Amino acid sequence: METRLSAKQLLHQFDSGRGLTNMKKTALTSFIFTLTFLFFASKVSAQTLTSDRAYSDYQFNLTVYEQAFSDYENAKNAYLANQTLELKDVARQKTKIMLVDRDQLMVVYLTALRTKISEQPGLNGDDKNNIFGKIDAEVTFYSNHKNSYTDNSSLDDLFATSSQSENQYKGTTILVVDESLFDISLGEEEGLRLEHEKIFATLKTVIDAGVAAGKLTLSPFNNWLSEISTVDAALVQNESTAKTQIAQIYAQDFTTGGGYQNALETLTSSIKPLSQFNEFLSEVTNYLKNHQ
Amino acid sequence: MNEPINTGISKEPVTLAPPVPSNFLGKIWNRIPQRIKDVLIKFYANKKIFWLVVGSVGLILFTLIMGLVFGIKTPLLAPKNSPSPLVQSTPEASPSGDILTVTAGRLRELKLEINSIDVAQSRLKPPVINYDIKF
């Protein structure tokens, strides 16, 4: 039974050492609690989803799906070889697991694409928001759809629900994936072009300063800068053309892939002028270094 | 007259000596003046006040510790030894160095990035899914 101690009793406890022990216990408990809290608090730090992390998640979920599909096939073949009620139920369960994993795989894959696009410095906010809206709608579909499969669903129900996912993939998802892949490449090329444009602007400043100081003459640079500007303009034009081409995929039969392939070819054709842009700027840089 | 029987027991009042704590904290406690001891004991005896105060102080200390551990780190201006110079056979230009040298280096990096572009994004191709699952 717990009793309250008087001040005298407490004094005696403190003098005899028992009170000190209690205080030490209190202090020690508080200290351990604080350390434990700090330990876990240090573990809970905000984790930003990078494209590498998202890609790893995708690879993991791909492995999970492939294993589930293998299990489904084994169960299916076992049932077809010996059509018992028990084997049919096992096949039904494996089918359900595989279908849920398949939807989850699409969620993670689309998220990996989204993360990669978000890291492209070459894409502007409007371009990113445009594709993000489409990806998010797909992610929402698969996230909700995977919950449509229930443990009690019959095989026929599972097949019917699976066809919804198939229709979504072939009707919409594949187009969003194509546009996403295109946007990633476009973002990389635009990012590189912008980096070269910055260097181009810097070199122009150096040339202007050299000419103003009487160290350089404008004669070789006028034509060179004009040539470089032409290459830069060609890159900008290619990007614009490719954007128009990729927008056409939604107006075509998805099986043709014409708009996507054309857009990729346009982006591929930009690599040569991009290299030329780089080489011309390197040449101008070296010339300036040699004439300082 | 009855003679007092010598029992060997002292008639003087016996005072029990307080047990002497053997540990370090006990020695410190014994050195604290009685007035302060009384105040501390009264404080410890009133559990509501004791835990309220301990809780408040603990919260303040905890906030301070969290701030020190996770707060914005401001660079200390305490003097420290400068690192020993690193000797390189092929010195690289620093950002504050010659702008043309820096530009040439950046252009070389960009050249590598251009050469590594994979327009088809082979690594991110969609997974192969077999939708023919009916049986």
Side-chain angles (χ1 to χ4, degrees), chain A residues 17-279:
Chain A
R18 283 174 57 198
L20 284 172
T21 308
N22 289 341
M23 284 186 77
K24 279 191 284 186
K25 278 181 183 173
T26 307
L28 192 63
T29 307
S30 304
F31 184 67
I32 291 170
F33 173 78
T34 307
L35 276 183
T36 309
F37 189 87
L38 285 175
F39 175 76
F40 285 108
S42 66
K43 295 288 177 189
V44 184
S45 57
Q47 290 187 350
T48 309
L49 184 64
T50 62
S51 63
D52 287 339
R53 174 70 190 275
Y55 185 75
S56 297
D57 288 348
Y58 162 56
Q59 289 294 310
F60 172 75
N61 277 272
L62 181 60
T63 308
V64 170
Y65 165 71
E66 286 171 345
Q67 181 60 51
F69 192 84
S70 175
D71 293 344
Y72 144 79
E73 280 201 314
N74 291 337
K76 179 185 78 173
N77 292 334
Y79 166 67
L80 293 176
N82 183 16
Q83 298 191 9
T84 65
L85 288 172
E86 187 180 1
L87 288 176
K88 185 176 184 180
D89 198 52
V90 171
R92 184 185 63 80
Q93 290 172 26
K94 296 295 181 187
T95 304
K96 185 250 176 183
I97 292 170
M98 181 272 292
L99 292 174
V100 171
D101 287 346
R102 189 179 73 186
D103 279 348
Q104 178 61 22
L105 175 65
M106 290 311 301
V107 170
V108 179
Y109 171 67
L110 289 162
T111 304
L113 291 180
R114 192 188 199 285
T115 314
K116 186 73 176 174
I117 291 168
S118 71
E119 291 178 1
Q120 297 304 319
L123 293 178
N124 60 42
D126 288 343
D127 287 340
K128 286 183 180 176
N129 289 332
N130 175 47
I131 191 66
F132 284 169
K134 294 172 183 172
I135 292 175
D136 292 348
E138 294 301 307
V139 169
T140 302
F141 170 83
Y142 289 105
S143 295
N144 293 335
H145 188 263
K146 71 178 180 183
N147 297 324
S148 306
Y149 303 108
T150 64
D151 290 334
N152 297 324
S153 300
S154 66
L155 267 174
D156 288 338
D157 288 343
L158 291 175
F159 295 149
T161 312
S162 168
S163 65
Q164 295 168 357
S165 186
E166 181 180 4
N167 292 338
Q168 180 74 18
Y169 183 81
K170 292 180 176 174
T172 314
T173 310
I174 192 66
L175 299 177
V176 175
V177 168
D178 282 350
E179 188 178 357
S180 300
L181 294 173
F182 165 83
D183 279 350
I184 293 167
S185 294
L186 177 71
E188 287 177 356
E189 289 195 358
E190 280 185 341
L192 285 167
R193 174 178 60 78
L194 292 171
E195 283 283 320
H196 283 84
E197 284 179 354
K198 278 184 198 169
I199 292 173
F200 190 28
T202 303
L203 292 179
K204 279 181 182 174
T205 308
V206 173
I207 291 167
D208 288 343
V211 170
K215 293 179 181 175
L216 298 170
T217 57
L218 268 177
S219 59
F221 294 112
N222 280 337
N223 289 334
W224 292 2
L225 298 183
S226 175
E227 288 277 347
I228 294 170
S229 294
T230 303
V231 173
D232 187 21
L235 286 169
V236 175
Q237 180 57 47
N238 266 8
E239 289 162 12
S240 176
T241 303
K243 282 182 184 177
T244 307
Q245 288 169 327
I246 197 66
Q248 291 171 358
I249 61 172
Y250 294 99
Q252 295 178 355
D253 180 5
F254 66 88
T255 54
T256 62
Y260 175 62
Q261 290 303 327
N262 288 338
L264 280 199
E265 284 171 17
T266 304
L267 287 185
T268 305
S269 71
S270 284
I271 292 180
K272 188 178 177 184
L274 204 50
S275 294
Q276 209 171 27
F277 199 177
N278 183 278
E279 288 159 8

